[in-house]
Amino acid sequence: MVKFLVVGDPHGSEKVFEIPIRDPDVILIPGDIGKADLMRKFAFAYADSKKSWTDIVSKQDIKRAYMEAITSSMKVLKYFAQIAPTYVIYGNVEPENSWIRRINRKRGLYIPLFGERIREIRGVHVINNKIVHLDGLALAGNKYF
C-alpha cells in the first residue's frame, strides 16, 4: 500500500515546513505551489481593464510578480523532494513556459522558465495531463485551465 501526503495550495507558505510528516511514499501537490500575492494584486487592480495586467504594469513589477511565484514554488518543491518523490499538478499560480516566453518576448524581459527550473529538482515529477502508475495505483494529473 502506498502512503500519500497531499499538500494542497501551499501558496509558498513556510508553514508547510512545519507539517508533521510520517514517512510518506509519495507526496502530491495539486497546484498553487507558490506565493502569488503580487500577481493577485495586479490582476485585481486591473480586472476592469480590457488588457492583461502584464500589458499595463512596469517590467520590473512583472518580473517581481513572476519571480515571487517561481522562487517560493522552488523552495516548497525542494523541501518536499528531499522527503519523498513529489508529484505536481499545475494550478492557476504556476506559470506555464509558454506564458513566460510570451511575456519575455512581448515586454523584453528575462523571466526564467518555471518548467525548466522544476526539472532541475531531483525527485519532482510534473504530471500535468498525464497518468503515472504507482504500486498498482493510477494517479492522473489534470492541470488547471
Side-chain angles (χ1 to χ4, degrees), residues 33-97:
I33 304 161
K35 186 176 181 182
D37 293 351
L38 288 172
M39 282 187 196
R40 194 174 298 108
K41 172 187 166 186
F42 296 136
F44 287 136
Y46 299 103
D48 293 335
S49 173
K50 292 183 182 188
K51 293 182 177 182
S52 167
W53 67 269
T54 58
D55 293 327
I56 299 169
V57 303
S58 72
K59 291 180 181 183
Q60 294 82 7
D61 283 342
I62 294 169
K63 188 163 186 169
R64 279 188 323 124
Y66 273 91
M67 290 310 297
E68 174 185 59
I70 292 168
T71 302
S72 59
S73 294
M74 295 300 288
K75 191 173 182 180
V76 168
L77 292 173
K78 286 177 182 178
Y79 171 74
F80 284 116
Q82 292 176 3
I83 297 168
T86 302
Y87 292 81
V88 176
I89 304 161
Y90 281 15
N92 63 331
V93 170
E94 286 70 54
E96 294 275 354
N97 285 348

Side-chain angles (χ1 to χ4, degrees), residues 98-142:
S98 59
W99 300 353
I100 294 174
R101 281 189 187 102
R102 186 174 61 247
I103 290 166
N104 281 345
R105 189 173 46 253
K106 189 173 188 177
R107 295 297 304 267
L109 290 168
Y110 174 73
I111 299 168
L113 301 178
F114 181 62
E116 298 298 318
R117 297 282 311 274
I118 287 179
R119 287 190 194 119
E120 297 170 6
I121 307 172
R122 186 178 176 173
V124 173
H125 312 277
V126 177
I127 58 169
N128 295 338
N129 301 323
K130 294 179 185 173
I131 296 174
V132 293
H133 297 276
L134 305 168
D135 221 20
L137 296 173
L139 180 63
N142 189 9

